[in-house]
Amino acid sequence: MLQIALWKRVAILAAVLFGLALAMPNAFYTRVEGHNDAVQAIEATGASTPELIAKRDAWPGWLPSGLVNLGLDLRGGAHLLAEVQVDDVYAERMDGLWPDVRDALREQRAEIGTIRRRDAPVGELHVQVSRPENMAAAVAAVRELARPTVTLTGVGASDIEVRGEGDMLIVQLSEAEQQATRDRTIQQSLEIVRRRVDEVGTREPTIQRQGADRILIQVPGIGSAEELKALIGTTARLTFHPVVSRTANPDEAPGTGNVIYPDIEDNGTYYILEKRAVVSGEDLTDAQPGFDQNGLPSVTFRFNPAGARKFGQYTSENVGEPFAIVLDEEVISAPVIREAILGGSGQITGNFTVEDSTQLAVLLRAGALPAELVFLEERTIGPELGADSIAAGQIASIVAFVAVLVFMGASYGLFGLFANIALLVNVGLIFGLLSAIGATLTLPGIAGIVLTIGMAVDANVLVFERIREELKSARGPARAIELGYEKALSAILDANITTFITATILFMLGSGPVRGFAVTLGLGILTSVFTAIFVTRLMIVIWMERRRPKTIAL
């Protein structure tokens, strides 16, 4: 018999109601530029700000309030393509290495004579020795300064290459270290740009690496490209503070001369710190992933002479005490001082993976851009494009809806009406899922929704045609419906699984508009299969139980 257990009915109904509840805020609100809460809504009715604030205040706080974000092509905003001057970082690395090279060569002065630094190409360090016949000793001494290259995938070869040419000792980063440095610099620049953009409350910016040394920055809702450039140029605040105590109460009074900051990783942990910073990020010259004496991932950092002096004095007086590394008023790490750090450099250890240590090094240096950004392309996109696109998308959606509804009603009568109701539920569920995951709706995304509307009834068509065939075999209505769903299920799954795989590949390998299309297509496939197999069937079963028809017209 055609039956659905009570618990299944409750589960189907609960899933539908939950999905529609997630989608409701998109129909209730209208987006207002400058609102940064979760109750921002989709653009467009033109209601005044007081009216919108009243709507926001009227929305029950216990209901979902997540919204579908509009992409750059719909909302307007700023577009920048920046090139990171990685050569500047190579030059800084060589400048930072020079004191160590100088000290190493001074110990070999008896053999190599006097040394002098000479001008060199970017990314190289040239040191002239007065006794080139003993260049091998100089090369060997400097090679002792080499350390393994650390990347996200593990440990590589030496980070520097040292060779002698005549009376010139040449030091440069190895190929592996150059690649690792480039990757870290781009990653660090991405992190800094993202933190700067997120501060203004913009939602779903596109900030991604493009090519070897370029960054694509697209921010919906921002006024102009110049405004975005000014925003990116600001500097994060990195400081090192003594730790007074740790607490789980964000409202605890820190006391005179103290501040309370949250832990960046643990939402329930807060640190009470002395307001006066021991040193700041302005004194930090380098921070890189490495390994401690036990071979475990760690982060090494280096201060300039002024910072080294202040940090050395503080650590020598506070061995065994914790100190906090604070970035933009958030504690990113609070290690314990194990010994006095007098050389201007130190090491942060903990339960790190290589990826964790690399990320922490990025955060430590996120107080300033690691290299200059040269903007190769900048555009300000007006909201008129978004209004036109939304209008075109609305027309296309309405036409698709009406065409599908008329076709299903004309072809399958009452069962077509059930399929149409399921189609409406399906679109609501799509927007509910988009709101839940915080996805960005772009013009290709609208195309994916329109395509989903046309594809959503495929499963119902397969089921209804199978039911027709069973009715021709003199089956009773209940048995025909049951066999129709059973025999059509494999075809439904095969067709939608292959399409879903295609959407997944588009999402993984594509970028920008392609991914926006893949997201709505993939979510639409999931919701359409759910509504066709479960929602439509539930409506038919309930109708059969109440009407108990002897025959059905299909």
Side-chain angles (χ1 to χ4, degrees):
M1 295 295 292
L2 186 62
Q3 294 181 347
I4 299 179
L6 178 61
W7 70 270
K8 289 184 179 179
R9 300 186 185 200
V10 173
I12 293 170
L13 183 60
V16 170
L17 292 178
F18 182 69
L20 295 180
L22 291 174
M24 267 197 303
N26 297 289
F28 187 80
Y29 287 103
T30 300
R31 183 183 299 276
V32 183
E33 290 299 331
H35 281 203
N36 298 323
D37 340 63
V39 292
Q40 289 180 326
I42 295 183
E43 293 234 28
T45 62
S48 66
T49 299
E51 293 171 344
L52 293 168
I53 293 175
K55 281 189 175 185
R56 181 194 64 188
D57 295 338
W59 185 257
W62 53 271
L63 285 177
S65 57
L67 300 167
V68 176
N69 305 302
L70 296 183
L72 189 69
D73 52 353
L74 298 181
R75 189 180 176 190
H79 164 103
L80 295 176
L81 180 63
E83 184 177 67
V84 182
Q85 303 300 295
V86 183
D87 286 347
D88 295 347
V89 180
Y90 297 156
E92 290 177 7
R93 286 288 300 275
M94 292 297 100
D95 290 339
L97 187 62
W98 163 240
D100 294 333
V101 171
R102 180 186 58 206
D103 294 341
L105 294 178
R106 279 176 177 172
E107 296 179 1
Q108 306 294 325
R109 183 172 297 177
E111 294 184 64
I112 64 175
T114 59
I115 59 172
R116 291 193 178 187
R117 184 177 180 180
R118 298 300 186 184
D119 293 336
V122 175
E124 293 186 2
L125 174 63
H126 287 193
V127 182
Q128 186 178 37
V129 300
S130 60
R131 300 177 62 182
E133 65 272 13
N134 292 325
M135 180 63 73
V139 170
V142 175
R143 281 179 178 165
E144 292 293 326
L145 301 175
R147 60 183 180 182
T149 294
V150 180
T151 66
L152 288 176
T153 57
V155 185
S158 171
D159 64 337
I160 59 174
E161 294 177 351
V162 187
R163 68 183 187 276
E165 293 183 2
D167 63 348
M168 197 69 67
L169 176 71
I170 300 176
V171 185
Q172 67 182 65
L173 297 178
S174 65
E175 190 70 28
E177 182 64 19
Q178 288 185 29
Q179 181 62 46
T181 299
R182 181 183 298 110
D183 291 342
R184 286 197 294 265
T185 302
I186 300 298
Q187 183 184 6
Q188 180 183 337
S189 300
L190 286 170
E191 179 69 24
I192 296 168
V193 170
R194 185 172 290 111
R195 292 179 67 87
R196 297 298 95 207
V197 170
D198 286 345
E199 278 191 358
V200 299
T202 54
R203 304 187 68 183
E204 290 297 321
T206 298
I207 304 172
Q208 62 189 26
R209 182 173 181 174
Q210 190 171 87
D213 54 4
R214 295 182 179 181
I215 296 177
L216 176 66
I217 309 164
Q218 295 179 332
V219 184
I222 204 163
S224 66
E226 288 299 324
E227 182 182 345
L228 179 57
K229 287 168 63 177
L231 176 67
I232 292 172
T234 59
T235 303
R237 176 68 174 165
L238 178 70
T239 50
F240 295 74
H241 295 258
V243 176
V244 177
S245 63
R246 188 169 66 174
T247 179
N249 180 15
D251 299 322
E252 183 174 337
T256 304
N258 298 331
V259 291
I260 183 169
Y261 291 148
D263 189 294
I264 197 171
E265 295 288 344
D266 189 350
N267 292 331
T269 300
Y270 298 82
Y271 289 88
I272 296 177
L273 313 174
E274 291 184 16
K275 188 174 183 179
R276 178 187 57 84
V278 177
V279 286
S280 69
E282 297 173 357
D283 298 316
L284 192 70
T285 61
D286 193 19
Q288 295 187 30
F291 293 88
D292 61 16
Q293 62 272 20
N294 298 317
L296 299 176
S298 64
V299 175
T300 59
F301 57 90
R302 183 189 301 275
F303 291 108
N304 60 24
R309 183 173 59 256
K310 291 184 289 185
F311 194 68
Q313 180 180 352
Y314 175 78
T315 55
S316 62
E317 296 172 354
N318 294 273
V319 174
E321 298 294 328
F323 75 103
I325 304 170
V326 178
L327 182 64
D328 280 350
E329 299 184 350
E330 289 183 313
V331 177
I332 62 174
S333 182
V336 173
I337 301 172
R338 301 187 183 278
E339 58 184 8
I341 304 174
L342 304 175
S345 62
Q347 189 176 72
I348 301 174
T349 59
N351 189 22
F352 296 143
T353 63
V354 173
E355 184 176 1
D356 292 336
S357 64
T358 302
Q359 180 66 15
L360 181 55
V362 169
L363 289 174
L364 278 174
R365 295 191 58 186
L369 288 168
E372 180 185 2
L373 294 182
V374 175
F375 295 102
L376 307 178
E377 181 180 321
E378 50 186 271
R379 295 199 305 268
T380 300
I381 301 174
E384 292 79 12
L385 173 62
D388 293 343
S389 300
I390 291 175
Q394 287 175 338
I395 293 173
S397 300
I398 292 172
V399 171
F401 247 113
V402 171
V404 172
L405 295 179
V406 170
F407 173 80
M408 293 300 293
S411 299
Y412 301 105
L414 180 61
F415 279 35
L417 176 62
F418 292 151
N420 290 338
I421 295 174
L423 180 60
L424 295 173
V425 172
N426 177 41
V427 175
L429 294 180
I430 292 175
F431 278 93
L433 289 177
L434 290 173
S435 300
I437 65 177
T440 298
L441 183 62
T442 61
L443 188 58
I446 293 178
I449 294 176
V450 174
L451 177 60
T452 300
I453 292 172
M455 296 174 55
V457 294
D458 284 356
N460 286 318
V461 169
L462 289 173
V463 172
F464 295 162
E465 290 299 325
R466 176 60 69 175
I467 293 174
R468 278 179 173 174
E469 293 180 6
E470 296 299 331
L471 289 173
K472 292 177 182 178
S473 302
R475 306 278 188 184
R479 183 59 178 166
I481 293 172
E482 184 177 14
L483 290 174
Y485 272 98
E486 287 181 0
K487 294 183 178 181
L489 181 61
S490 61
I492 293 172
L493 293 179
D494 288 345
N496 284 279
I497 286 174
T498 53
T499 308
F500 186 78
I501 291 173
T502 302
T504 302
I505 293 173
L506 288 175
F507 180 81
M508 294 177 64
L509 301 182
S511 63
V514 175
R515 297 189 75 177
F517 175 80
V519 168
T520 54
L521 178 61
L523 293 180
I525 291 170
L526 295 177
T527 56
S528 63
V529 170
F530 170 76
T531 54
I533 295 178
F534 296 104
V535 178
T536 308
R537 185 174 184 178
L538 178 60
M539 288 189 288
I540 293 174
V541 169
I542 294 175
W543 175 76
M544 287 286 294
E545 290 175 345
R546 293 192 175 187
R547 298 291 184 177
R548 298 187 179 277
K550 300 298 182 182
T551 60
I552 53 176
L554 189 63

